[in-house]
Amino acid sequence: MAAGAACCYRPAAAGRASLDAFATSSPSLRPSSSGVFFISSSSSRWWMRRRRGEGKVRISTSSRARAKPMSRPALFSPVAMEWQECSTEIEVDVPCSVAYQCYSERETIPQWMPFISSVKILEDKPDQSRWTLKYEILGRDVEFSWLARNMTPTKNQKIHWRSLEGLQNRGAVRFFPKSSSTCRVQLTVAYEVPEILAPVASALKPFLEGLLMQGLERFATFAKERYSKIPQP
């Protein structure tokens, strides 16, 4: 059978006249030498069959003859990286208000958080800051940076942030009063595991939780020294 044509039903004698008339008025309809009709089409294929008991012809689309749709290439979708969450806490011998104020001073964080090398607050957008991380993590020297936005805080209770670009991360610091002079500080950080550290992802979480704990221990000393310099009533 020629490409671009589909076979039609061979008409019974009673319906032959009507098919001949239809073929005359339709240039695309042509009979073969065996009396079988074809409809030529450059864009699709059709078939004809006569309804049983009637002299009428119905044209319908054949699912078998219909041209197969062209397959489309799958849209590019980057592989989702693994996210991890680390959490640690410590009791600090200062009131919640003092601990909250010390942690709010973002540019001092490199003084006590071991893997943060710099924090720079944007002059025109004080709720945003640029962070740089430099550290040897599980035998790999790594350096990452990101732009973070501090979300609306709850005074003396919660500071939280999320990254806007660079290393994907988000987190929160919560402050719980224990007494008038002590509080509990809880730090939670969630991050997208960088590709360079993907092979050691299983060991990354406990390693970073250890670093965060070291940071909070140093923060406790930092806040206590600050508190000792505040005149007491």
Side-chain angles (χ1 to χ4, degrees), residues 4-5 16 39 52 104 129 157 190 211:
R16 180 72 190 194
I39 298 178
R52 182 173 298 177
S104 297
S129 49
Q157 296 182 38
L211 286 181

Side-chain angles (χ1 to χ4, degrees), residues 2-47:
C7 180
C8 296
Y9 186 84
R10 181 190 301 272
R16 180 72 190 194
S18 58
L19 279 175
D20 290 342
F22 185 78
T24 303
S25 60
S26 303
S28 60
L29 184 67
R30 55 185 178 83
S32 70
S33 58
S34 60
V36 178
F37 279 74
F38 296 88
I39 298 178
S40 300
S41 173
S42 59
S43 59
S44 61
R45 296 180 178 180
W46 303 86
W47 60 277

